Amino acid sequence: MNDVVTKEDLRQFGLELLGSIENLITQTKEGHSDVTEQEWIKSRQVRKLMNMSPGSVQNLRVTEKVRFKKIVGSYYYNKADLLKLFTDEKCK
């Protein structure tokens, strides 16, 4: 049981560790970029996707132009309603 760890062993471990971290970061980024595939999206995602202010998003909710749900203090908006609303506005 007298295992000796060499510099090469440590270098190899470091490379494997960095590879694993890079894979995790890539998977996380891909998971967050799937906003376009979600049916209900949070207010922050709506603002980022549509380049809107928080007040504009609230106005859409208050005027009932888009469906929304409030779950534990967070508002979720129907993505299809948002896209339809803004494609209709572009056609006018």
Side-chain angles (χ1 to χ4, degrees), residues 43-87:
S43 299
R44 179 176 289 150
Q45 294 169 322
V46 172
R47 293 194 322 258
K48 186 175 181 180
L49 185 65
M50 301 293 183
N51 193 24
M52 301 175 78
S53 69
S56 296
V57 176
Q58 180 184 7
N59 189 38
L60 292 175
R61 184 177 71 239
V62 170
T63 58
E64 298 180 355
K65 291 186 177 184
V66 294
R67 289 179 287 170
F68 68 93
K69 296 179 181 180
K70 184 176 181 181
I71 301 173
V72 191
S74 295
Y75 287 98
Y76 292 83
Y77 298 86
N78 185 275
K79 187 190 88 172
D81 288 353
L82 289 165
L83 294 176
K84 183 176 184 284
L85 175 71
F86 287 102
T87 53

Side-chain angles (χ1 to χ4, degrees), residues 20 28 30 32 35 59 73 78:
S20 297
T28 302
E30 289 173 357
H32 289 305
V35 171
N59 189 38
N78 185 275

